[in-house]
Amino acid sequence: MILTFSDSEEEILNKIKSVLVCENTVEFMDNVNIQKLRFPSLEIDQLQRCVIREDKTVGLTRHEYDLLLYLALSPNRVFTKEQIYQHIYEEAESEVNNRIYGLIKNLRKKIEENPEEPHYIETIRGVGYRFRA
């Protein structure tokens, strides 16, 4: 996080809040493997289950977070909608396409600069989705 003299008071407070939300509070523990996935303008903190986009905490639902983490842990790997659904919901369902499409759409709105031209979550037509690092 970088603070500049041109930042407004509100911008500075938002940056400080986002750092505090994801700050590692278990430094005293030995042998703790804290995993943070870092991508350009996006960070996923697995310990705190939070996502930071351009120094701001992104509010994700449980399923949105699980989906993002699932894709981001295997960048550039293509997952079918069925694979994603089974991982996220751990059950069989006939409405796989609609539920995954809705989840992807909501997640893109929250993490993509332009959800209409996504950088991170790419649609592989007729197959599924992949996370581009």
Side-chain angles (χ1 to χ4, degrees), residues 13-29:
L13 286 174
N14 284 334
K15 289 178 181 181
I16 291 170
K17 284 178 187 176
S18 65
V19 168
L20 291 176
V21 168
C22 282
E23 186 61 34
N24 176 10
T25 58
V26 292
E27 291 177 8
F28 61 90
M29 300 173 101

Side-chain angles (χ1 to χ4, degrees), residues 71 104 107-108 111-112 118-123 129-130:
L71 296 175
I104 293 285
L107 185 55
R108 281 179 174 159
I111 68 163
E112 298 285 1
H119 170 77
Y120 290 112
I121 299 177
E122 180 182 18
T123 300
Y129 300 94
R130 76 169 152 209

